[in-house]
Amino acid sequence: MDKIISQSKYSRKQHKDFYTFHLLRRSGTIKFLGVIIILMLFVALTSTFGDGLPIKEENMNSVIFSWIMFGFALSIIPILVITRINNVVKQETPERIQSTEKIEITKVKFTRSNDQIEGKSVFGWRDIQTICETDKYFYVYLSEENGVFIVKDEIIEGDVETFRKLAEANLKRDKKGKLPYKRYGEVRKQYNATKRAEKKQKKLEKKNQGK
C-alpha cells in the first residue's frame, strides 16, 4: 500500500518559511496592501507627469508628498511580514519547541501526532482545500488560514513522487476537474517543462499517425 511517513523535529526556520510563504502567497492582507501600493504609485506618477514636465513650482509640494506616501506604502510590506512572523514564532510554547511531529499519509487519510501532545488529529483528502508544493515543502491547507507542512527531506517512508500520486488520485477536484494543487519555484518550472515535452510528443505522434 502506498504510504508516506514524515517525521520532523521542531525547527524555527521551517516555521518561519511556512509563515513567510503564507503571508506572501496566501494572505489577503498582503494582496490588499499590494493594491494600495499600486494606487499610490498611480497617484505619484499622475501628480508628477499629469501637467507635463518640468513640474510647476506650485505642484512641487504635492509631488513630493505623493512620492513620500508611495515610499511609506512600499516599505510597509516587509515590515509587516517580518513583524507578524516574529510575533507568531514568539508565541510557540516550550513544549512545541521541544516536540517531534509525525505525519502518516495513506490514500484514505492524514494522521498527525506529536510526542508532546496526547492524542492524534486525523483528516481526509476531501478535507483539504489546497496543496502548495515548493522546492522544500508540501503545504497542506485545510482552510485559508490553517494547515500543516511536510518537509520533503524528512520523509522517512515513501517519497515525494508517491505523495504527488496520492494527491493526484485522492484530492477533490473542482467542477472543471482541476486539482487544488499548486507548484512554486523550480518544481513549477520542471512540471511545466515536462508538460510541454508531453504535449510536443503527442503532436509528433499524431502527425506520424496521419502519414
Side-chain angles (χ1 to χ4, degrees):
M1 181 179 70
D2 289 336
K3 183 169 70 172
I4 303 291
I5 296 178
S6 168
Q7 186 166 295
S8 303
K9 188 170 179 59
Y10 176 88
S11 165
R12 176 166 289 187
K13 181 183 182 306
Q14 290 171 0
H15 280 74
K16 281 189 173 183
D17 287 347
F18 174 60
Y19 300 138
T20 301
F21 175 89
H22 177 75
L23 284 174
L24 295 180
R25 301 283 188 173
R26 303 269 301 175
S27 174
T29 302
I30 298 300
K31 293 176 182 177
F32 174 74
L33 287 174
V35 172
I36 296 297
I37 286 173
I38 292 172
L39 290 175
M40 294 302 298
L41 177 60
F42 175 77
V43 170
L45 290 172
T46 301
S47 65
T48 303
F49 302 108
D51 294 329
L53 294 175
I55 300 170
K56 295 178 181 179
E57 186 174 347
E58 60 266 26
N59 294 336
M60 187 59 71
N61 288 338
S62 175
V63 170
I64 292 173
F65 178 75
S66 64
W67 282 106
I68 289 174
M69 291 304 295
F70 170 69
F72 173 76
L74 190 64
S75 66
I76 238 178
I77 285 186
I79 292 172
L80 176 65
V81 170
I82 292 170
T83 301
R84 288 190 64 179
I85 290 172
N86 287 336
N87 286 340
V88 171
V89 171
K90 285 178 183 178
Q91 293 173 7
E92 298 286 13
T93 63
E95 290 80 9
R96 179 73 181 273
I97 293 173
Q98 297 171 6
S99 69
T100 298
E101 184 172 270
K102 182 179 179 181
I103 300 176
E104 183 175 327
I105 307 161
T106 67
K107 66 180 181 180
V108 177
K109 62 186 178 181
F110 286 64
T111 304
R112 184 184 181 195
S113 60
N114 188 300
D115 62 1
Q116 298 294 318
I117 302 173
E118 291 185 10
K120 299 178 180 181
S121 62
V122 179
F123 58 90
W125 287 95
R126 298 282 171 161
D127 299 317
I128 296 172
Q129 185 185 84
T130 188
I131 293 177
C132 300
E133 180 182 356
T134 70
D135 297 338
K136 295 181 179 180
Y137 306 98
F138 292 108
Y139 296 128
V140 181
Y141 280 92
L142 301 176
S143 68
E144 288 293 336
E145 297 294 333
N146 297 309
V148 300
F149 66 85
I150 297 162
V151 185
K152 290 182 177 181
D153 287 342
E154 294 178 356
I155 293 175
I156 60 175
E157 184 175 332
D159 54 31
V160 168
E161 192 57 39
T162 300
F163 182 91
R164 291 173 182 154
K165 289 178 180 178
L166 285 170
E168 173 79 21
N170 298 293
L171 277 175
K172 184 179 180 180
R173 297 175 182 267
D174 63 17
K175 294 180 180 179
K176 296 181 179 179
K178 186 177 180 181
L179 281 174
Y181 194 106
K182 299 179 180 179
R183 298 167 180 83
Y184 299 86
E186 290 300 318
V187 171
R188 181 176 180 177
K189 292 179 182 178
Q190 292 171 7
Y191 176 80
N192 289 340
T194 300
K195 288 299 179 182
R196 285 194 297 269
E198 290 176 354
K199 189 175 181 180
K200 185 177 180 180
Q201 182 62 31
K202 287 180 180 179
K203 284 184 177 180
L204 183 61
E205 291 174 355
K206 188 175 181 180
K207 183 178 179 180
N208 291 334
Q209 289 173 358
K211 289 182 178 180

